[in-house]
Amino acid sequence: MLAQAQIQERMRGFPGRCRAAGLKVTHQRSAIFHVLAATERHPSPEEVYAAVRSELPSISLATVYKVLDLFHRHGFLRKVSTERQAARYDANLGPHQHLVCDGCGRIQDVQVPLPGGVPAAPPGTDFAVSHTDILFHGLCGECRRADAQG
């Protein structure tokens, strides 16, 4: 769980960003965004649904999926997709990469300086880079220790 000040900072701009994107600020959207703003865990849609359902028992899983997709399309959060897992979501929009544990599936934010930064276009192409998603795969400390003991 993040510190209350960090959660408030992530939530502070939410209503204005919704209005700027032409979206209504609904109780459901606010509750869903708050779940993401309050964690560093990168929850799945099902985990977001379980957390929001305690506050909004009538919300459906389909609504959670739709809102997460809407937030992703409008740039309110990042979607972290891996080969082995369903999409996970991240409200941290600051520059960072992700560590993905191939043992337990945990995803963790990490900041690794990129030598030379991100190129505007890869050499030899006319492709314009808008953003990068860098995933480092491996085993977290807990899974490495469990492997060593097992």
Side-chain angles (χ1 to χ4, degrees):
M1 205 52 138
L2 292 173
Q4 193 61 34
Q6 289 174 299
I7 298 168
Q8 288 174 343
E9 179 61 32
R10 287 183 179 181
M11 290 301 297
R12 184 172 299 127
F14 177 72
R17 289 171 63 200
C18 282
R19 288 196 232 20
L23 303 175
K24 291 182 181 178
V25 182
T26 67
H27 190 58
Q28 289 179 329
R29 289 175 180 168
S30 295
I32 290 168
F33 191 78
H34 187 270
V35 166
L36 292 157
T39 187
E40 292 179 318
R41 288 193 56 246
H42 306 82
S44 68
E46 290 78 8
E47 291 169 325
V48 173
Y49 170 69
V52 171
R53 198 151 181 248
S54 63
E55 181 182 339
L56 301 171
S58 63
I59 197 166
S60 71
L61 180 58
T63 296
V64 171
Y65 268 97
K66 287 177 188 172
V67 170
L68 290 172
D69 182 59
L70 182 72
F71 286 171
H72 179 251
R73 283 187 285 125
H74 285 283
F76 292 9
L77 44 89
R78 291 169 72 170
K79 183 191 265 189
V80 182
S81 298
T82 69
E83 298 141 9
R84 298 180 185 162
Q85 299 176 1
R88 309 268 286 278
Y89 293 88
D90 185 1
N92 177 2
L93 297 177
H96 68 282
Q97 300 82 36
H98 293 101
L99 303 176
V100 180
C101 179
D102 293 328
C104 66
R106 188 175 109 174
I107 298 174
Q108 179 181 344
D109 291 347
V110 65
Q111 288 188 316
V112 177
L114 300 175
V118 176
T125 72
D126 64 352
F127 188 84
V129 175
S130 63
H131 67 281
T132 60
D133 291 315
I134 298 175
L135 302 176
F136 296 97
H137 288 266
L139 293 176
C140 68
E142 288 180 34
C143 288
R144 281 195 348 265
R145 285 187 289 282
D147 276 358
Q149 291 175 354

